[in-house]
Amino acid sequence: MKTSADPVRDYLSAVEREASTLPADRRQELLADLTEHIEVTRTERPDAAIGEILAALGDPRTIAATALAEAGNEAAGASARSGTGTPARRGKVHPLVPLLMLTLSLPFMMVFPDLPGPLFGVLFRITGAVLLCTSVHWTTVQKTTGVLLTAILPSAVITTWNLSGAPAGTPALLANLITLAVLAGTAAWLWRARRA
């Protein structure tokens, strides 16, 4: 039987093979995280056997299944062999941040209707949508629904109102209040639906 001279390389290759359906950038990030963890553990515990360190990390299939589940891959549920994996990775941005940015973009534009207000409102909306889409706290369907209801729909309503020929100074209070209710409702739904 052939034995490898580098068990770390074999272990990382097994994780990479099991996580082959992950996007390439996410797979490389996973491998970099594992490599860093192995190096730190070897530095902190120089007397520990490499097999012991790798066993403590867990089975490559479990690690890959956890990463697939975090990425929102629908096939992850079928490929997960057991529920005992590594704990879910926490997002780098608190889930409240994109929700607040998306919800507060409209009130910001309403309170400051002159030039800086709409500019910052649009920047809040775009940044909030990007943070929502890159978050680990929601599934792909929840992210898509959230972006449609908090970024695309309000933009369509505002564009339609501006192109409808309404007088320049006419307040669109009712449309703004309905849009704000949709934003707040969607943010509340996303907050309740988030993953810990």
Side-chain angles (χ1 to χ4, degrees):
M1 178 173 206
K2 180 182 171 187
T3 57
S4 173
D6 190 356
V8 173
R9 186 178 63 216
D10 291 346
Y11 181 85
L12 294 174
S13 294
V15 172
E16 185 173 21
R17 191 172 45 253
E18 292 294 331
S20 63
T21 57
L22 270 177
D25 60 334
R26 176 63 184 106
R27 190 171 54 247
Q28 293 307 315
E29 180 183 343
L30 173 65
L31 294 172
D33 288 347
L34 289 171
T35 301
E36 179 182 359
H37 182 75
I38 292 167
E39 290 172 1
V40 168
T41 305
R42 286 174 111 174
T43 303
E44 291 174 351
R45 298 175 32 210
D47 56 330
I50 191 63
E52 182 183 322
I53 294 170
L54 297 177
L57 277 174
D59 181 57
R61 283 186 179 167
T62 304
I63 291 172
T66 301
L68 288 166
E70 288 175 0
N73 189 330
E74 304 303 332
S79 66
R81 304 283 191 267
S82 68
T84 60
T86 57
R89 190 175 136 226
R90 298 189 84 58
K92 294 178 181 174
V93 175
H94 193 278
L96 194 56
V97 173
L99 301 181
L100 284 175
M101 292 187 86
L102 288 166
T103 305
L104 296 177
S105 63
L106 181 64
F108 195 83
M109 288 190 282
M110 291 168 59
V111 171
F112 303 105
D114 294 329
L115 185 58
L119 176 65
F120 285 121
V122 169
L123 289 176
F124 279 9
R125 187 169 291 150
I126 291 170
T127 305
V130 169
L131 290 175
L132 177 65
C133 289
T134 58
S135 176
V136 298
H137 299 286
W138 294 281
T139 64
T140 304
V141 172
Q142 291 168 336
K143 292 175 185 180
T144 304
T145 304
V147 169
L148 285 172
L149 293 176
T150 60
I152 295 174
L153 180 65
S155 298
V157 168
I158 291 169
T159 302
T160 303
W161 177 262
N162 288 335
L163 296 176
S164 68
T170 306
L173 184 59
L174 183 60
N176 284 338
L177 291 177
I178 291 171
T179 304
L180 186 57
V182 170
L183 292 173
T186 304
W189 168 71
L190 285 169
W191 180 254
R192 285 193 307 270
R194 77 190 184 285
R195 291 183 244 171

